[in-house]
Every structure is written in C-alpha cells, then in structure tokens.
Amino acid sequence: MTIRKPQPAKLSADEISFAQILLDPVAFSAGFLSQLDGPESGRPMALWAHQVEDVRDASREIVHQDGRAVGKTVDIVVQVLHYGVTARNGRMLVTAPNDGHVNKIIEEVEAHIEASEFLREMVAVDANGRMRITRKPYYQQTWKNGTIIYFRPAGPTGKSVRSLHCDKVLVDEAAWYPEPAWRALRRVLNRGGQMRCYSNPNGLRNTTYYRITQPSSGWRIYKWPSWIVPGWCQADTEGEAKFYGGKDTAGFQHEVAGEHGAPSYAAFNVRQFRDCQRKLEKVYRVVRIDGEEFSAIHSVDEAYSRLEALLDLQDEARGTYWMGGDLGYTNDPSELTVWLEDERGRLVPVLRVHNEHMPYTFQAALIAILDDHFDFAGLGFDAGSNGLAVEHILTTEDRYEGHQFAFRLETYDFGGCLTTSYDPQGRPKVQRIKEYMTSLINGRLAARTLLFPAGDVDLDWEDQFCTHTYSQTQMGRLVYSKGNDHIIDSTRTAVLRKERELLKQLVDDGRGLEGEFVMPVLTESVFD
C-alpha cells in the first residue's frame, strides 16, 4: 500500500503577499505603522535608508554609536511591534537605565497600537476582552501568538531583569547602562538570541558600551551622525557647533557626530546620588507652565493672577527656604527649584517649576509669587543674559521694591571665578564657579545632606544627574556636558547661594575665611 504524504495547502496570491509583508520589517512598518506626528502624520511609515539596513540586520550582536535625532527610537519601536506580531511564543526584553527612558519607548509603542486596528487585533485579550497589558510592577505585553515583551528599567544593579530569559534584548541609552546591570543582562539572553544596543556616546571609557563599540569587540557597529538624516544641511551643523561651543567639544562629538571624542567622566557619583533619593511624600511637587498659555495676556497683573492659579501653592512647613534658578526665554526652558533647609541641615526639594517660552516680566512675577509664599532666605540665579534680565526687573521695578531682592538675590557667572576662602596671610583662594558649585553638590552627596525626588516621583532629576559628564581641556580646565542640565544648574545656584550665606556668617562672626571650604569632585580622576 502506498502511503501518500499530505501535501501542504497552496497559498493564494493574497496570502503570499501578506506573508511577504510580515517577513520583512520594512514592509511591515509601511503596511501597519503610520507617522504619528509632523507634516507626514497619518501616512504609512517610511523608514530612512540607514534605518532600512539596520532593521533587516539579523546579526546576533548589534551596537549603535549615534548622534541625536537619527531615528533610534523608531528603530526600536519597529523591532518591538514586528517581533510581537511575528514571533511565536517568543520572549523579548526592552530595557534602559531608568524609567524615563523605558516609558518613552512604551508611549511610542502604545501610540502605534492605538492607531492601528491590525495591531490591536494581534494583542492578546483577557476574559473581559481587555488587552493583556500588565503595567505594575513592570510593564509587559502579551500577544495572541504567545509572545511576551517585557519593558524594564535596569536600576543600579539590574535586579529587575535577572529572572528573565529572552531570545531578543533591546538596550536603549546603552552608554549609561550601569555596569552591574550589564552582568545581569548578559544572562538574560538565550543562546543564539539577538542583542541590540542603541545610544549616543558619552565619552566614558571604562564601560561595557565603550568596549563593544570598538572594532575588536566583534559586534556589528552602526554609526549614525546627526547629518545622516535627510534634509540636514550645513546650517544645521553650524548651529549645533555654535550651541556646543565648537565641533571639537565633547558635546558636539557625542550628541551630533556620534563619536566618543575626548575622554569624559561622570560629574556626580551615581551611587551616592541614588542614596540621596527619597519618595518625599506630601513634600515635593513639580509644576509645568507653558508660555503659550500666556499669549493672550499682556499685563503683569493678569499674568500674576494666572500664575497664582497654576502654582496652587498650599501651606508649607515652617523653616528656611532657598531658591535656585536656571533661566531661559525662547529656546531653553527655565527651571526654578525651591529647597527647605531642615533641622539636620539638609536641603530638601519641595517644588520644581519648569516653564518654557515665558517673557522675562512674567518670570519675574512668578519668582515674586514664590517669594511671597516661601520668604526665601536667599535666591541664586545663573548670570546669563536671561538671568540678568530677570534680576534687573526684580531689583529695579517699583512693584517688587517690598521684596528687597537686591539684598537676597545673587547671580553667578558660570564661566567666571569666585573667591572661596583666604589663606592665613590673607591672600584669596580662587576657583572656577561651575567647578566649585559641582564640588559643593558632590560634598553634600557624600554627606547625604542634599536630597532628591525618587525616579518614580520625578524622573527628570535622575535623568540629568546620572548622565552629566565632564571632560578636561589641554589647559586643565573642566568642561561640563551641555543640554540636559537645567535642573542641575538650578541646583548648583541654590547650593552655592546657601554656601555663600554660610561664609558671610563666618565673616560676621569674626572667624574669617581661613582654610578650605571646597569638597573635591568625588568621581574618577581626570588625570589618568
């Protein structure tokens, strides 16, 4: 008897076409994803040429060394959604150093699912017909084909990923991924699986990210400078060079060219920063104000009423309060931070006011409202053009005369120098202001006398303090990274303002300024 083997069913032309779309991540993104914003919003997603090569790459170990705004997040989102639809009983991990980075990817992924009926149909549902998406303690998605995609922040040690075993791992902001977490992450990847790492370089040399971007590592390396993006022109390059202070600066090399550049070092000890994080329940608030809300308001009096409503200030604990400010106008945001000096001498943040596109006159009114409420012992601002403009309004206009800001408000030129003490012979000891400010913060981090909101309370503090770096020029000057540092600069001014008041008290007490009042920078040596 002849046994006939069953013949595979013939696929129709439509089924073959559909399978070809599913097999190719580029065709998949064009077929089922759309542009979410910009002038092309709503149109099928069209990947750039450099993205096409990457999303089709099946290499087991892939690392990106890119500039900003080159499409890294889009790449990750395409990888996530394509895997969710096409893998059978697969396991994928999407991870990044902290919650803020992971949440950005989650928001993009969910926006695409919401915009696509096909994707919504592919996500598994529970008995009540709700999509099987878990949000706590960590976010994860379950798809109808049995695939599960985990989204988890590394934290300081990678504890959140240790129990997972995945066939594909995507790491965002890999340059900042903590070293202990890398060791945990490596054990997550199943044999034969794929790991992809995306990041801008930060100049740090003693990291896993730096090592895997070297040709000898054996990893497939992609380098996407910002000018790889279609439409980039010479004017864009010149504008970025002007912002960062030149094409040879660490900022331009890292953020635009996607190069490691000169060696950089962490400005703050990350472990000490995390030791100073607290939940700050019923103590800390953040208020965000968009200057566009004031476009129809033309008088300070009108702005005053509107600002009071937005701030919604409540009764505060009695004590001594300090303010720091990094002020912007049109391009940069303004960050105002309010600190309570508690009975142990610690500075505890109680309020952060983030505002954008606010006229100087309205920013002055905002500060006056806060001063009415907190009665600051001292205020410190950066002495850039924005800070000086606001200072001039507060110290010269009649409406603010009762505040006597001239006696409490100080501005600091971040590029200047400051007398920090005197030796026994009465000779001044001078230090660069920004270095001095940073050393004061590091001293307080070591002593745990400067607290910060926990990551799940306000992510921006952790994002900035844990990614701030410095490099050293040939003349020995320290240059700090720019851009993502407005909260840090606001903190710098507040801490220095408090320190200056302490030094004034020492003088008034007749104890002089002999000796050193500067804590060393508690990070790696810049002289190796």
Side-chain angles (χ1 to χ4, degrees):
M1 182 176 68
T2 302
I3 300 176
R4 294 184 178 180
K5 296 181 179 179
Q7 297 297 313
K10 272 188 127 181
L11 297 177
S12 68
D14 286 345
E15 289 172 329
I16 292 174
S17 176
F18 183 66
Q20 289 173 335
I21 291 174
L22 289 181
L23 289 171
D24 180 18
V26 177
F28 171 85
S29 61
F32 302 115
L33 307 184
S34 58
Q35 301 292 135
L36 295 178
D37 49 32
E40 302 294 314
S41 177
R43 294 187 179 182
M45 178 177 286
L47 298 177
W48 292 322
H50 59 278
Q51 294 173 305
V52 168
E53 179 187 7
D54 175 64
V55 298
R56 284 176 172 163
D57 195 333
S59 301
R60 288 179 54 191
E61 295 176 319
I62 296 173
V63 62
H64 277 252
Q65 184 183 322
D66 303 332
R68 289 283 180 193
V70 293
K72 295 187 297 295
T73 302
V74 170
D75 258 36
I76 293 173
V77 170
V78 169
Q79 294 280 333
V80 168
L81 294 173
H82 184 253
Y83 189 84
V85 170
T86 61
R88 185 174 181 81
N89 296 319
R91 297 293 184 270
M92 171 189 273
L93 169 64
V94 182
T95 184
N98 60 49
D99 290 282
H101 301 135
V102 176
N103 288 344
K104 179 182 176 182
I105 298 170
I106 292 172
E107 289 169 4
E108 291 280 328
V109 169
E110 287 200 326
H112 279 289
I113 293 174
E114 180 63 30
S116 170
E117 182 179 353
F118 171 76
L119 293 177
R120 292 198 301 274
E121 286 295 319
M122 297 303 293
V123 178
V125 296
D126 61 20
N128 297 315
R130 294 188 294 256
M131 286 191 289
R132 289 185 59 187
I133 294 178
T134 303
R135 299 186 181 276
K136 291 183 178 181
Y138 300 109
Y139 184 94
Q140 69 183 52
Q141 299 172 340
T142 302
W143 296 73
K144 287 183 176 178
N145 53 24
T147 290
I148 300 177
I149 302 179
Y150 307 98
F151 298 77
R152 298 194 179 183
T157 64
K159 180 181 178 181
S160 65
V161 306
R162 287 182 184 276
S163 61
L164 301 178
H165 299 282
C166 298
D167 302 308
K168 192 164 186 172
V169 174
L170 306 182
V171 186
D172 194 22
E173 299 292 348
W176 298 106
Y177 212 76
E179 289 305 302
W182 275 109
R183 293 190 286 274
L185 187 65
R186 195 66 187 179
R187 293 192 289 271
V188 169
L189 188 65
N190 292 332
R191 185 182 297 275
Q194 185 188 54
M195 181 177 289
R196 289 171 162 266
C197 301
Y198 298 80
S199 194
N200 310 109
N202 58 14
L204 300 177
R205 266 32 178 197
N206 62 337
T207 64
T208 296
Y209 173 75
Y210 178 77
R211 289 191 291 274
I212 65 177
T213 58
Q214 302 309 297
S216 60
S217 69
W219 284 58
R220 173 74 165 91
I221 303 169
Y222 283 92
K223 292 187 177 183
W224 293 350
S226 293
W227 53 79
I228 200 173
V229 174
W232 186 278
C233 63
Q234 184 62 27
D236 295 318
T237 301
E238 297 304 323
E240 293 295 329
K242 183 178 180 181
F243 174 79
Y244 287 109
K247 295 180 182 180
D248 294 329
T249 59
F252 184 91
Q253 289 294 306
H254 300 162
E255 307 293 330
V256 183
E259 296 289 350
H260 291 292
S264 295
Y265 305 87
F268 303 105
N269 185 300
V270 174
R271 179 185 58 78
Q272 291 177 350
F273 173 83
R274 295 189 187 279
D275 287 343
C276 292
Q277 286 183 298
R278 301 289 188 276
K279 290 287 186 180
L280 301 179
E281 294 95 342
K282 299 181 181 180
V283 173
Y284 173 82
R285 285 197 311 136
V286 57
V287 176
R288 303 177 190 276
I289 301 175
D290 191 335
E292 293 181 2
E293 298 181 37
F294 293 77
S295 58
I297 297 177
H298 304 291
S299 73
V300 175
D301 290 334
E302 286 182 274
Y304 216 93
S305 299
R306 178 66 176 149
L307 288 167
E308 283 186 318
L310 291 171
L311 290 171
D312 188 26
L313 296 172
Q314 308 296 323
D315 291 339
E316 307 289 344
R318 291 187 178 183
T320 303
Y321 290 91
W322 304 86
M323 171 184 276
D326 181 38
L327 304 181
Y329 184 50
T330 54
N331 295 325
D332 283 340
S334 289
E335 293 286 356
L336 300 174
T337 53
V338 177
W339 305 79
L340 169 65
E341 182 181 358
D342 67 11
E343 67 281 355
R344 296 165 57 182
R346 300 181 303 179
L347 292 180
V348 182
V350 298
L351 177 66
R352 175 168 76 91
V353 182
H354 173 99
N355 65 83
E356 300 183 16
H357 314 301
M358 287 273 286
Y360 296 138
T361 51
F362 294 178
Q363 291 194 56
L366 170 62
I367 293 164
I369 293 171
L370 293 172
D371 187 51
D372 280 333
H373 186 78
F374 292 101
D375 189 20
F376 297 114
L379 306 89
F381 296 159
D382 67 297
S385 57
N386 303 314
L388 291 176
V390 174
E391 179 201 30
H392 179 75
I393 294 171
L394 292 172
T395 56
T396 61
E397 289 196 2
D398 291 342
R399 72 167 57 242
Y400 303 118
E401 183 179 3
H403 290 267
Q404 295 187 315
F405 282 117
F407 299 99
R408 293 179 295 132
L409 171 59
E410 294 184 1
T411 58
Y412 308 114
D413 179 1
F414 280 25
C417 295
L418 188 71
T419 298
T420 58
S421 62
Y422 293 86
D423 65 17
Q425 288 72 43
R427 293 172 298 196
K429 295 184 179 180
V430 177
Q431 188 168 349
R432 294 188 182 277
I433 288 181
K434 199 165 188 177
E435 293 178 25
Y436 179 52
M437 292 170 156
T438 307
S439 70
L440 291 175
I441 293 176
N442 272 300
R444 283 185 170 271
L445 289 179
R448 298 187 186 183
T449 58
L450 186 65
L451 303 187
F452 301 98
D456 56 353
V457 175
D458 186 349
L459 292 166
D460 293 340
W461 293 81
E462 182 175 295
D463 182 39
Q464 293 193 18
F465 274 88
C466 293
T467 61
H468 198 49
T469 63
Y470 68 90
S471 57
Q472 186 183 28
T473 67
Q474 291 182 343
M475 301 297 293
R477 182 175 180 179
L478 302 188
V479 179
Y480 295 92
S481 57
K482 292 179 61 176
N484 191 34
D485 60 352
H486 300 293
I487 298 175
I488 295 173
D489 284 346
S490 181
T491 304
R492 282 179 168 125
T493 58
V495 171
L496 179 56
R497 182 65 186 88
K498 161 62 183 171
E499 181 73 6
R500 296 296 289 171
E501 198 66 25
L502 173 62
L503 300 185
K504 289 178 184 177
Q505 293 172 7
L506 292 175
V507 172
D508 292 342
D509 292 344
R511 284 180 279 172
L513 289 173
E514 288 94 6
E516 290 286 349
F517 289 87
V518 183
M519 289 290 293
V521 177
L522 301 179
T523 55
E524 299 169 76
S525 169
V526 300
F527 302 108
D528 291 342

